Amino acid sequence: MRNWPLGVKLTAWSALLAGFALVLCGIGAGVFIRQEQIEALDDQLSNEAHTFFGEVARQAGTIDWRDHGAVERILPLTRTKRFVQIVSADGRVLYRSRTLQRSDFAGSLPGASTIRVGRNQVRMGAFAQDGLTLCLGAELSEINADESQLRLAFFVGLPVLVSAIAFCGWWLARKALAPMREITLAAEQITAQRLHQRLPVPRARDEVGRLTSVLNAMFDRLDVSFRQAARFSADASHELKTPLTILRTSIEDLLDSPTLSANDRRAVAGLLEQTRRLSSITESLLLLSRADAGRLKLDLAEADVCEIVTACSEDTAIICEERGITIDMKLPSVLHAAVDTGRLSQILLNLLDNAVKYNRDGGEVKIDVAAIDGGIAISVANTGPGISPSAIPHLFERFFRVNPTPDTPGHGLGLSLARELARAHGGDVTLERSDDEWTVFRVFIGGLSEPHSRETSPAGRRDAPAVVAGGE
């Protein structure tokens, strides 16, 4: 029940509590009614005994107790069958109903009690007066029948009542939570590109209205902060781009100078590498800030995705040779789609770079391309240690790195940038698998133009099974 929706919880709790209350009331009512009926029967037996002793007193000394007919004539006539036993002061039984056994009323004490005579429950009252003890017993069949009918009516009516209460609870919960559903639907529409939207404020100034006002105020603050952060990121990246380009060009020119010594050349080469890394970070931040602001534009054109994948794999093969990593591809011969060639190449190179970076020496990288669901699925897989389960939820966060060591190059923006570019293509980047054998990423992009043709092996070894790839 802990994970049930709030409306279902309210309905269930109202039905359970109502059912519990009805059961308690039913039990209490049954006990009370039975007790009232028994008390009324006790009063009736007492009145009959009083009448009997009055008649005995009136016929004092003339009653022949051996004449059952004479005794029965002075017993009061009732509509209910009675069990009668009359005992003298010395303990002799003067009269006993024919249906009674000797032991049924044996040892009866003054007062009322419930006993069993044969298979019947009997309410027995013992009354003593003028040296006689009168034991009167009345069957409880009518009371038991009334109790059975009440119990049957209760068990038949209980499900109906609980169902009616559950329906009323569901209806009330639905009406009460209707503003919350509207707020939830509106909140789902608020994204980084739609931070200007606000939640509808209910007319009633209740707790829900107060919560909505507080959330809208929070969205106002978030909108301002987000725009300031996006503007800062875009402006800073843009402002850094030009001086970094000039700095990189100047360092490249300096590196080409014949007057540099070997030590100076190594130092300048290190500066150039750091400048290039800083330029890459700046370019990535600029793209991400445009994506956050909804201003990331693609230069879409018809292109053969297989050619783009092949070109990217050939570029990656150069760095694979140093570690003995092989690249296997499984591609169709032609697969046209409307894509931004440069951005798609950026996605693939980021994934392939991770697939090599987090691979083992002598490992494998596998690439698979296929048309699926009106789009194109590209899988990039690599051998090597899997991604730890604790890191998987953070893979696509900016500046997050699975293995942040100085020996592993990177700045933690590759996967987040690849995902934003894939989403701009109407797709996404997802982690499909990560264990001790393979780590698999899947890129899906929309815009498929025509179905793929037969599979061939245009480059590398392309007969490998389709698996998918790397980690940031």
Side-chain angles (χ1 to χ4, degrees):
M1 185 179 289
R2 181 178 300 176
N3 298 324
W4 289 2
L6 181 57
V8 177
K9 287 182 180 179
L10 291 175
T11 303
W13 276 114
S14 62
L16 287 174
L17 291 176
F20 182 71
L22 287 173
V23 169
L24 289 181
C25 291
I27 294 174
V31 171
F32 176 78
I33 292 174
R34 181 180 177 83
Q35 188 63 32
E36 286 292 313
Q37 288 180 318
I38 289 178
E39 288 180 1
L41 181 58
D42 290 344
D43 291 340
Q44 186 176 355
L45 293 176
S46 178
N47 291 334
E48 293 176 6
H50 178 73
T51 302
F52 171 79
F53 285 120
E55 187 65 22
V56 169
R58 191 176 66 83
Q59 300 182 25
T62 64
I63 300 175
D64 184 3
W65 296 108
R66 292 173 297 176
D67 184 1
H68 282 203
V71 175
E72 291 172 359
R73 281 193 295 272
I74 67 173
L75 290 172
L77 298 177
T78 62
R79 62 183 178 86
T80 305
K81 183 179 179 181
R82 294 287 187 258
F83 299 95
V84 182
Q85 179 174 283
I86 303 171
V87 183
S88 65
D90 57 3
R92 289 183 303 107
V93 176
L94 302 178
Y95 174 84
R96 179 185 292 122
S97 297
R98 296 179 179 84
T99 55
L100 282 177
Q101 301 296 324
R102 183 179 298 273
S103 60
D104 287 337
F105 284 175
S108 299
L109 298 175
S113 61
T114 301
I115 63 173
R116 183 168 291 277
V117 176
R119 296 182 179 180
N120 302 317
Q121 272 190 319
V122 173
R123 186 66 176 178
M124 190 272 293
F127 309 93
Q129 184 175 326
D130 299 332
L132 296 177
T133 299
L134 172 65
C135 297
L136 279 177
E139 289 185 352
L140 296 178
S141 54
E142 291 186 3
I143 296 177
N144 290 337
D146 292 342
E147 185 178 20
S148 298
Q149 291 178 354
L150 180 63
R151 188 182 300 113
L152 178 62
F154 176 77
F155 283 113
V156 170
L158 180 63
V160 177
L161 289 174
V162 171
S163 299
I165 292 171
F167 175 79
C168 294
W170 170 82
W171 184 81
L172 289 174
R174 183 176 178 82
K175 295 291 289 184
L177 295 177
M180 298 299 295
R181 286 194 297 274
E182 295 178 1
I183 293 172
T184 301
L185 292 175
E188 289 175 346
Q189 305 302 318
I190 299 177
T191 62
Q193 289 76 32
R194 299 176 181 175
L195 275 177
H196 62 280
Q197 295 187 1
R198 293 296 176 266
L199 305 177
V201 180
R203 295 180 180 178
R205 304 304 297 172
D206 53 7
E207 291 79 2
V208 177
R210 173 62 179 164
L211 175 62
T212 305
S213 300
V214 171
L215 289 176
N216 282 334
M218 181 188 70
F219 285 132
D220 289 337
R221 296 191 295 271
L222 286 176
D223 190 14
V224 173
S225 300
F226 183 82
R227 291 181 183 277
Q228 290 176 346
R231 188 181 300 113
F232 171 79
S233 178
D235 293 345
S237 301
H238 181 75
E239 294 297 328
L240 286 173
K241 187 175 181 180
T242 300
L244 283 174
T245 301
I246 297 173
L247 181 61
R248 185 179 62 197
T249 303
S250 300
I251 293 176
E252 289 174 347
D253 293 341
L254 180 61
L255 192 61
D256 293 336
S257 174
T259 60
L260 285 179
S261 64
N263 290 335
D264 291 339
R265 191 174 298 279
R266 284 193 296 271
V268 173
L271 290 175
L272 180 60
E273 178 62 26
Q274 293 301 319
T275 304
R276 287 173 176 169
R277 183 171 181 267
L278 188 57
S279 297
S280 175
I281 295 175
T282 302
E283 181 67 25
S284 298
L285 287 175
L286 183 59
L287 283 175
L288 289 172
S289 64
R290 289 174 180 171
D292 292 338
R295 297 196 300 267
L296 181 59
K297 296 182 180 180
L298 301 179
D299 186 13
L300 298 178
E302 290 290 324
D304 184 2
V305 174
C306 295
E307 289 185 359
I308 300 174
V309 173
T310 300
C312 292
S313 64
E314 290 174 350
D315 292 342
T316 307
I318 298 174
I319 59 176
C320 287
E321 292 178 356
E322 302 176 359
R323 300 176 56 191
I325 297 174
T326 59
I327 299 180
D328 293 342
M329 293 189 295
K330 183 180 179 182
L331 310 176
S333 58
V334 177
L335 197 59
H336 287 285
V339 297
D340 186 322
T341 302
R343 298 307 184 195
L344 180 57
S345 298
Q346 194 171 0
I347 296 172
L348 296 174
L349 288 174
N350 278 336
L351 293 180
L352 288 170
D353 178 65
N354 288 342
V356 175
K357 185 191 308 181
Y358 296 100
N359 213 322
R360 64 171 183 266
D361 293 343
E364 294 179 78
V365 174
K366 294 182 179 181
I367 306 173
D368 175 73
V369 180
I372 181 174
D373 297 334
I376 299 172
I378 306 173
S379 298
V380 182
N382 65 274
T383 54
I387 303 171
S388 64
S390 60
I392 290 178
H394 308 286
L395 278 180
F396 295 95
E397 294 178 2
R398 298 172 189 182
F399 296 105
F400 176 79
R401 300 181 64 194
V402 175
N403 187 19
T405 61
D407 298 334
T408 305
H411 41 76
L413 291 174
L415 282 180
S416 57
L417 182 59
R419 168 168 277 186
E420 293 295 342
L421 293 175
R423 288 177 173 175
H425 280 85
D428 203 352
V429 177
T430 55
L431 175 68
E432 296 292 307
R433 173 184 174 186
S434 184
D435 50 40
D436 293 337
E437 296 181 0
W438 292 96
T439 296
V440 180
F441 280 87
R442 181 176 182 267
V443 182
F444 178 80
I445 57 174
L448 180 64
S449 299
E450 60 184 49
H452 65 284
S453 59
R454 61 183 177 84
E455 294 183 355
T456 60
S457 299
R461 295 184 1 227
R462 305 197 180 183
D463 54 349
V467 202
V468 197
E472 176 60 29

